[in-house]
Amino acid sequence: MSVTIRDVARVSGFSIKTVSNVINGHPQLRPETRQRVQDAIEQLGYRPNLSARNLRSGRSGVIGLIIPDLTTAYFAELADAVMRTAASRGLAVLIEPIGSGRDNELAALRGQHRHMVDGIIYSALTLDAGDAELLKSVDTPLVVLGDTSFDGQVDRITMANTAGARAATGHLLAAGRKRVLALGAHEGEIVASAELRLAGYRQAIEEAGLTFDPDLVCYADSWHRRGGAAAMTKLLKEGLTFDAVFAFNDTLALGAMRVLQEAGVRIPEDVAIVGFDDLDETRYSLPALSTVNPRRDQIAEAAVETLLRRIEGGSELEAHEVETGFVLEVRQSSGGVLTGAEGATTAA
């Protein structure tokens, strides 16, 4: 016989109404309640009748995820986390890679796909605070992922850029490094990931009683391996001295590591390195890369929950903003001892 919602209620110990609220993504539920119901669903192999549910509610059961691209490892892993979280709520995800640039981001907000979904999770790179009214005018429920503040007018999820960067740089300084290179700054940024991570780097330098040295700030237009490799090649040719690198993302770090190793620089003995993003491949680089884990699963969870809250509550709800935590994963590239495929972790 097929498993019913009544069976889930019996195993979880909650009422049929509570189980229904979990399945339908009701936002006003305690995390432990949601988890117990989801555990019962998994245990029994229950599959809700989504077609009937969506017909009753007038919804599609699909949410959109607008991201710059799927070729960048961070966005690919973020998309995976969002899909897993959405699936646990009985939702499908329509992913729309839009490329880089403001024109593409604005076009995505006007695109036909927004009428095919119940709500959108939108990872914006170029929009700024002046676009708050534009985002508010979108008639599809919307949650923005990113670092720009929209003055409490738009639902937004952001990561602990500054605190994570401060912890990464502080870790290198605590290990005895004196000249820590900041790799990946962007000229002219005011409030975006690069600027926030540079702020955290500078805070750690000054908290350690050292003088901030602008010569140790290395700019990189591209946050890809080629950008890290090109920047490190230039620095080595110029003869800049440093004994550690805080790279503003993992792909910059991996590109820089390759150039350093080809130049005969030992990692971490000569130069210690920490990245940011905790991409899966960082566990398997040689040496394994220390990195700031921005808790993508937590970002995905917060984004989906906030979007469901907006879908349920409509435009009358006040805007909701969440900053997720981070974990500093200390591995071989900064002197950590690798145990299996992991190193020590520090959570915040």
Side-chain angles (χ1 to χ4, degrees), residues 196-249:
L196 293 170
R197 293 176 194 182
L198 180 60
Y201 162 86
R202 182 166 188 161
Q203 287 174 17
I205 294 292
E206 294 174 347
E207 286 169 2
L210 301 175
T211 301
F212 174 75
D213 184 353
D215 289 341
L216 288 172
V217 176
C218 179
Y219 294 88
D221 292 332
S222 167
W223 275 18
H224 296 89
R225 289 175 187 80
R226 64 180 177 273
M232 187 54 66
T233 298
K234 182 174 182 290
L235 290 172
L236 292 180
K237 285 182 179 178
E238 293 173 349
L240 182 70
T241 60
F242 52 91
D243 56 10
V245 176
F246 166 51
F248 286 11
N249 79 348

Side-chain angles (χ1 to χ4, degrees), residues 48-75:
N49 187 335
L50 299 181
S51 296
R53 185 190 76 181
N54 293 338
L55 281 173
R56 288 194 302 270
S57 67
R59 296 178 187 148
S60 67
V62 179
I63 62 173
L65 174 63
I66 297 176
I67 53 177
D69 63 73
L70 282 170
T71 61
T72 301
Y74 173 79
F75 290 115

Side-chain angles (χ1 to χ4, degrees), residues 33 43 58 97 100 128 133 141 163 171 183 193 236 291 301-302 319:
T33 299
Q43 177 185 334
S100 60
D128 57 34
E133 288 299 323
H171 161 65
L183 175 59
S193 297
L236 292 180
T291 182
E301 182 85 16

Side-chain angles (χ1 to χ4, degrees), residues 66-133:
I66 297 176
I67 53 177
D69 63 73
L70 282 170
T71 61
T72 301
Y74 173 79
F75 290 115
E77 294 185 20
L78 174 65
D80 178 70
V82 170
M83 287 189 294
R84 285 187 282 106
T85 302
S88 74
R89 310 295 193 271
L91 300 169
V93 181
L94 175 65
I95 300 175
E96 184 178 359
I98 58 172
S100 60
R102 181 176 173 82
D103 289 344
N104 289 338
E105 291 188 0
L106 293 177
L109 289 176
R110 298 188 293 266
Q112 61 179 350
H113 287 164
R114 64 191 176 92
H115 299 297
M116 301 166 59
V117 297
D118 299 326
I120 296 170
I121 297 171
Y122 178 46
S123 182
L125 298 180
T126 65
L127 300 187
D128 57 34
D131 294 307
E133 288 299 323

Side-chain angles (χ1 to χ4, degrees), residues 248-328:
F248 286 11
N249 79 348
D250 288 342
T251 51
L252 283 168
L254 292 169
M257 280 175 60
R258 174 64 182 265
V259 170
L260 287 169
Q261 289 169 325
E262 288 180 341
V265 176
R266 299 171 302 163
I267 301 170
E269 293 85 354
D270 301 324
V271 174
I273 300 182
V274 179
F276 199 117
D277 283 345
D278 191 32
L279 302 179
D280 184 61
E281 63 187 297
T282 60
R283 296 164 174 80
Y284 306 103
S285 61
L286 289 174
L289 180 64
S290 297
T291 182
V292 176
N293 174 356
R295 294 184 171 178
R296 269 181 303 278
D297 284 346
Q298 194 178 90
I299 292 170
E301 182 85 16
V304 172
E305 284 297 320
T306 302
L307 184 59
L308 287 172
R309 173 181 176 271
R310 178 60 59 187
I311 291 170
E312 291 285 337
S315 60
E316 299 305 312
L317 288 177
E318 290 186 3
H320 190 56
E321 295 194 1
V322 178
E323 181 181 280
T324 57
F326 70 92
V327 176
L328 178 61

